Amino acid sequence: MKLKRVALFLLALTLFLPCLSSADEELGTVYNKGLPSLRDAYADYFDFGAAITGTEMNDISQLRGLSYQFSILTCGNEMKPEALLDVAESRKLAREDDTAVATRFNSCKYILKFAQGQGIKMHGHVLVWHSQTPEAFFHVGYDLKQPFVSREVMLARLENYIRQVMEYTHENFPGLIVSWDVVNEAVADNGPNELRESNWTKVVGQDFIERAFEYARKYAEEGTLLYYNDYSTPYEPKLTRICSLLDRLIAEGNIDGYGFQCHYSTGTPSMQQVGMAFARISAKGLRLRVSELDVKINANTEAWRNIQADTYENLFRIFLRYADKIEAVQVWGIVDSRSWLSTEYPLLFSGSHGYAKPAFYRLIQLAKAWKK
Ligand code: GLA
């Protein structure tokens, strides 16, 4: 069965590759080696990476270009709790032990295998989040008709979940996942409370973040960097709240870094706000990542694509200033047509063909011109 699949894959590869050949090679797209390489251009500063989803992996043409442009990848959805937690199986196990957790890795396995084969690092995203996490995780017997479990049961489930994810990845892909988003988006944008209200705060309480980092550290492979990741970092009161959360996590000793999501537009936030946020957070001595960069534009015109290139360049001028602290800069997707913001054309490669946009060339030029 397995052999048959491999044979079909090789057949598809030989049939498909010639179709792409010369014309595309000459034009240069993210799918071939006809462009300069972002990975090489930024190699002296940080890893250059991207989020990739299962649908992108279905497109065989992408397999060829990715390791040329990117040195690190993140699964867009395939390692989120919704993908890894096996609710039906967990429900069965819960009849004996309500702290039991069942996990499955069919959604991400082939992406991890691909990265391993191509010599690309992986960043894990994400262990704990209020979103894309099955509601049943929080209920007695994994049954939505039952009430929430106790704090103790939820903490035991959290520890079991993190242990299984860490064990699976380091047993099957040793050394591949160099860092993890342990907790995503826990801080409230506004309102009276520092943390967003979620099933995590309701069932565990305000310290679910500290406990998640404790378990992640306990089971992570030696040397894996553990991050807290969030959006809207340059805005108050969120920035001050993120800083106070980071202070608490640093005091417990299990966090290594902060991930700036950076889902931005041209002009918003201002470069001054972004620079301020980098200054405040980097002063804490943490490692930094730009984890989910994209820059929306109003229309897919040349004028807007040039304004977008200005924004990308200005952002990278800030990132380069912090290059000694930044582990990786990752765009959130590869081509505009597959972006979660596809109607706002936020990425470095256009359409589905993956032609390089002005922002791509600007980043290549900037890396060449930048003096360390
Ligand atoms: C957030 C999450 C990502 C992704 C984007 C939207 O930033 O952290 O995993 O879901 O939203 O695609």
Side-chain angles (χ1 to χ4, degrees):
M1 190 59 201
K2 210 169 173 190
L3 269 178
K4 205 169 160 190
R5 248 185 285 146
V6 173
L8 280 174
F9 175 81
L10 289 175
L11 181 67
L13 201 67
T14 46
L15 290 176
F16 194 74
L17 290 185
C19 315
L20 273 172
S21 63
S22 51
D24 267 357
E25 281 313 336
E26 278 158 28
L27 281 170
T29 72
V30 68
Y31 305 140
N32 61 40
K33 295 187 179 172
L35 292 169
S37 155
L38 290 166
R39 171 186 183 146
D40 291 350
Y42 285 88
D44 285 345
Y45 305 109
F46 34 69
D47 276 313
F48 206 109
I52 180 166
T53 63
T55 53
E56 273 147 347
M57 289 297 293
N58 291 342
D59 185 347
I60 217 171
S61 62
Q62 287 199 343
L63 299 182
R64 294 196 304 159
L66 294 184
S67 65
Y68 180 65
Q69 292 295 347
F70 304 113
S71 51
I72 189 160
L73 292 173
T74 295
C75 293
N77 289 302
E78 293 71 13
M79 298 192 88
K80 289 173 175 171
E82 162 180 278
L84 303 189
L85 186 73
D86 186 337
V87 174
E89 212 40 50
S90 298
R91 197 173 290 138
K92 285 187 204 154
L93 298 179
R95 288 186 209 130
E96 296 281 315
D97 171 6
D98 213 15
T99 68
V101 172
T103 46
R104 55 174 174 207
F105 297 90
N106 48 324
S107 57
C108 64
K109 191 157 62 180
Y110 70 110
I111 301 181
L112 298 176
K113 262 194 189 145
F114 165 74
Q116 190 180 45
Q118 295 285 310
I120 307 178
K121 302 174 201 173
M122 290 292 302
H123 171 75
H125 175 77
V126 51
L127 294 170
V128 177
W129 193 19
H130 64 276
S131 178
Q132 293 187 261
T133 299
E135 176 73 24
F137 197 21
F138 301 91
H139 288 262
V140 170
Y142 291 83
D143 178 354
L144 294 177
K145 291 192 234 70
Q146 299 291 326
F148 281 146
V149 293
S150 65
R151 168 181 160 88
E152 288 64 38
V153 169
M154 197 66 225
L155 283 175
R157 284 185 182 179
L158 176 62
E159 180 165 0
N160 281 333
Y161 176 77
I162 291 177
R163 178 178 51 75
Q164 287 181 39
V165 174
M166 293 296 188
E167 282 176 0
Y168 172 84
T169 50
H170 65 71
E171 276 164 20
N172 293 281
F173 300 96
L176 180 67
I177 302 187
V178 293
S179 48
W180 267 100
D181 290 331
V182 177
V183 179
N184 196 28
E185 303 181 349
V187 171
D189 298 330
N190 290 300
N193 302 318
E194 181 183 284
L195 298 187
R196 162 202 307 278
E197 192 180 68
S198 69
N199 284 341
W200 289 109
T201 56
K202 286 185 206 153
V203 180
V204 173
Q206 303 292 304
D207 67 338
F208 78 92
I209 309 170
E210 285 88 332
R211 299 290 64 78
F213 272 91
E214 177 193 333
Y215 305 146
R217 179 60 78 213
K218 185 166 165 192
Y219 299 109
E221 214 174 346
E222 180 88 32
T224 310
L225 297 177
L226 303 181
Y227 284 82
Y228 174 71
N229 192 55
D230 214 328
Y231 64 89
S232 288
T233 321
Y235 304 113
E236 290 294 2
K238 195 158 178 181
L239 176 56
T240 298
R241 289 173 173 189
I242 290 172
C243 286
S244 84
L245 170 63
L246 293 178
D247 289 341
R248 292 206 301 281
L249 292 170
I250 291 167
E252 289 215 355
N254 295 316
I255 188 173
D256 296 300
Y258 179 73
F260 290 80
Q261 286 192 6
C262 300
H263 296 297
Y264 293 157
S265 303
T266 55
T268 332
S270 70
M271 292 306 139
Q272 202 203 4
Q273 286 171 305
V274 177
M276 177 65 78
F278 269 78
R280 288 266 302 272
I281 292 188
S282 73
K284 300 193 178 299
L286 291 170
R287 305 301 302 159
L288 306 176
R289 325 181 72 245
V290 174
S291 52
E292 306 184 15
L293 176 63
D294 41 30
V295 178
K296 297 187 278 185
I297 49 177
N298 290 0
N300 197 15
T301 60
E302 201 183 333
W304 274 109
R305 286 194 292 271
N306 288 330
I307 298 172
Q308 181 179 52
D310 295 341
T311 306
Y312 267 103
E313 175 178 341
N314 291 333
L315 286 168
F316 270 74
R317 286 183 180 280
I318 297 175
F319 305 157
L320 285 164
R321 288 213 307 274
Y322 290 92
D324 59 330
K325 294 185 190 303
I326 295 182
E327 289 290 321
V329 175
Q330 292 188 175
V331 280
W332 196 250
I334 295 166
V335 291
D336 279 343
S337 64
R338 290 196 171 115
S339 160
W340 68 305
L341 303 168
S342 60
T343 55
E344 292 160 295
Y345 316 98
L347 296 171
L348 300 173
F349 300 96
S350 70
S352 52
H353 298 290
Y355 297 125
K357 294 167 61 181
F360 168 86
Y361 291 107
R362 202 70 80 73
L363 294 188
I364 295 285
Q365 277 167 16
L366 176 66
K368 280 191 189 143
W370 190 260
K371 298 273 176 294
K372 258 193 157 181

